[in-house]
């Protein structure tokens, strides 16, 4: 068996590594990490065929120019960590100067973490206002057994974290829909926040919004002060559905009239839709089970599929 020549070994060392399934966040990103790999592999094959390594010199795994980019990961430093509930945290990241992340509404970004030598990627939606300058904020729920959660829980102020994006998003246009019905479970609240803020910031935007936040208990509702502020606007209503609360008596009185106990089921969905002031366009964000259940209940309530958007 002929030993591999030094040149062959050099080229093999430069060959891009195929991503492992744990590196794909499953968020339907364009480009997906696999698309990036295909592109790099094609570049590598071309360079190898021409025996010209300088063709690969432009390839950078990470960029430090602090511009968010869908193809490469960019370093951002953590400027604050705030615990919101027992397992949910709000992380603030620094942006150089007074720059803005420049996301359109409800877009997500992908985080890369390395845990026990294994690279993991997950998608999160910033909750900071779209025009926030010098920073962006992300809401993250940490799971006991989650690989990425183990990495995230170690973050402290000053740590450097790698993100790429943006991806997805809901093409929101002011006054396009009479009423938006937002169905959010847990951290599914994240993509709804920037849309709500853009509506309340724009005096010309008269879209009605009904936000339904589904949480296990009252203590687990995120961002209460922000949601209370938003609910003060004439065109915004906020309801809560608490699956593990049995009675409303223990809740502060300001929450009692807009909170339901139990699960968001078909009957409650019909009640909420009937209370909408106009025929709603529906935004859904939660676990895949939640998204499927909601789509089913909406269909039963006569809401067509083309009047829904699932994050």
């Amino acid at each position: 068996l002929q030993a591999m020549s030094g040149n062959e070994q050099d080229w093999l060392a430069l060959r891009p590594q195929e991503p492992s399934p744990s590196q794909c966040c499953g968020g339907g990103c364009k480009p997906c990490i696999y698309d990036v790999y295909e592109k790099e592999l094609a570049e590598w094959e071309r360079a190898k065929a021409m025996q010209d390594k300088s063709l690969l010199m432009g390839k950078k795994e990470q960029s430090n120019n602090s511009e968010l980019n869908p193809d490469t990961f960019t370093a951002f430093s953590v400027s604050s960590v705030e615990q919101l509930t027992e397992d949910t945290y709000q992380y603030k990241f620094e942006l150089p100067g007074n720059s803005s992340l420049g996301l359109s509404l409800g877009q997500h970004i992908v985080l890369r973490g390395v845990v026990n030598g294994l690279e993991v990627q997950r998608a999160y939606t910033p909750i900071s206002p779209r025009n926030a300058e010098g920073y962006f904020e992300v809401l993250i729920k940490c799971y006991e057994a989650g690989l990425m959660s183990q990495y995230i829980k170690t973050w402290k102020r000053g740590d450097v974290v790698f993100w790429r994006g943006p991806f997805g998003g809901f093409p929101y246009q002011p006054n396009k829909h009479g009423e938006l019905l937002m169905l959010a479970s847990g951290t599914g609240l994240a993509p709804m926040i920037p849309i709500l803020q853009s509506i309340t910031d724009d005096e010309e935007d008269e879209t009605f919004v009904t936000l339904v936040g589904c949480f296990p208990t009252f203590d687990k509702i995120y961002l209460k002060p922000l949601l209370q502020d938003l609910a003060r606007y004439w065109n915004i209503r906020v309801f809560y559905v608490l699956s593990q609360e049995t009675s409303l008596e223990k809740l502060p009185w300001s929450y009692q009239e807009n909170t339901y106990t139990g699960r968001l089921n078909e009957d409650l969905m019909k009640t909420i839709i009937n209370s909408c002031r106009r025929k709603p366009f529906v935004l859904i964000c939660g676990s895949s089970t939640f998204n499927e259940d909601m789509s089913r209940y909406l269909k039963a309530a006569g809401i067509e599929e083309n009047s829904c958007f699932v994050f």
Side-chain angles (χ1 to χ4, degrees):
L1 227 143
Q2 190 190 353
M4 202 186 294
S5 72
N7 184 34
E8 285 279 317
Q9 279 177 319
D10 287 353
W11 278 103
L12 264 185
L14 290 169
R15 186 190 162 111
Q17 273 191 304
E18 183 168 358
S20 65
S22 72
Q23 287 173 267
C24 175
C25 72
C29 309
K30 299 260 180 295
C32 166
I33 183 159
Y34 284 103
D35 300 333
V36 175
Y37 166 69
E38 295 295 334
K39 189 174 123 206
E40 289 177 354
L41 189 61
E43 283 170 6
W44 176 80
E45 282 167 351
R46 191 174 128 247
K48 183 170 185 275
M50 297 169 75
Q51 289 290 307
D52 182 357
K53 289 183 185 146
S54 71
L55 293 174
L56 297 173
M57 290 313 157
K59 175 180 168 296
K60 276 217 284 294
E61 169 78 314
Q62 287 161 191
S63 96
N64 283 323
N65 62 0
S66 59
E67 280 279 306
L68 191 66
N69 173 330
D71 297 301
T72 48
F73 281 94
T74 302
F76 294 96
S77 75
V78 178
S79 57
S80 74
V81 176
E82 188 188 344
Q83 184 164 4
L84 300 182
T85 65
E86 56 180 356
D87 55 6
T88 306
Y89 299 81
Q90 186 171 336
Y91 297 96
K92 193 172 188 174
F93 294 88
E94 241 169 84
L95 287 173
N98 274 343
S99 64
S100 192
L101 206 49
L103 266 58
S104 64
L105 290 170
Q107 283 194 307
H108 65 266
I109 53 180
V110 171
L111 168 69
R112 177 172 73 186
V114 177
V115 189
N116 310 332
L118 181 69
E119 184 178 303
V120 198
Q121 298 191 15
R122 292 280 179 277
Y124 298 99
T125 307
I127 54 168
S128 35
R130 208 168 29 153
N131 49 4
E133 293 179 350
Y135 76 95
F136 67 94
E137 290 173 312
V138 182
L139 178 70
I140 298 181
K141 177 172 179 168
C142 290
Y143 295 89
E144 267 312 298
L147 270 179
M148 187 61 103
S149 300
Q150 291 168 33
Y151 163 61
I152 291 169
K153 278 184 189 159
T154 66
W155 290 354
K156 49 194 186 311
R157 201 194 146 112
D159 283 354
V160 171
V161 172
F162 289 90
W163 294 96
R164 74 180 177 103
F167 303 105
F170 168 62
Y172 179 73
Q173 289 166 340
N175 299 312
K176 182 181 175 187
H177 305 287
E179 179 149 2
L180 287 178
L181 171 58
M182 300 177 165
L183 306 174
S185 169
T187 46
L189 197 58
M192 311 299 182
I193 300 283
I195 297 173
L196 276 164
Q197 286 174 324
S198 86
I199 292 172
T200 56
D201 286 349
D202 179 357
E203 287 185 8
E204 307 288 300
D205 193 343
E206 301 191 342
T207 308
F208 282 116
V209 181
T210 298
L211 168 67
V212 183
C214 301
F215 298 91
T217 58
F218 180 73
D219 294 338
K220 294 207 165 114
I221 299 174
Y222 315 126
L223 309 172
K224 287 192 187 85
L226 174 62
L227 293 173
Q228 293 288 74
D229 282 345
L230 289 167
R232 290 196 182 98
Y233 284 85
W234 64 275
N235 50 340
I236 312 279
R237 298 188 302 172
V238 180
F239 290 116
Y240 300 98
V241 180
L242 305 177
S243 57
Q244 292 168 21
E245 293 281 359
T246 44
S247 132
L248 296 174
E249 286 168 17
K250 297 195 281 299
L251 304 191
W253 64 266
S254 61
Y255 282 86
Q256 290 182 12
E257 59 186 30
N258 57 349
T259 302
Y260 299 94
T261 57
R263 290 200 171 274
L264 177 46
N265 55 21
E266 202 175 303
D267 289 343
L268 182 50
M269 182 73 86
K270 284 181 179 157
T271 306
I272 289 170
I273 289 171
N274 290 336
S275 78
C276 286
R277 293 141 292 192
R278 298 173 180 157
K279 189 167 193 274
F281 184 90
V282 191
L283 301 180
I284 307 172
C285 189
S287 66
S288 49
T289 345
F290 176 82
N291 297 349
E292 284 159 21
D293 288 346
M294 294 308 115
S295 303
R296 212 170 54 246
Y297 303 153
L298 287 165
K299 203 172 169 188
I303 300 281
E304 304 300 321
E305 220 164 283
N306 59 6
S307 299
C308 298
F309 180 89
V310 180
F311 283 98

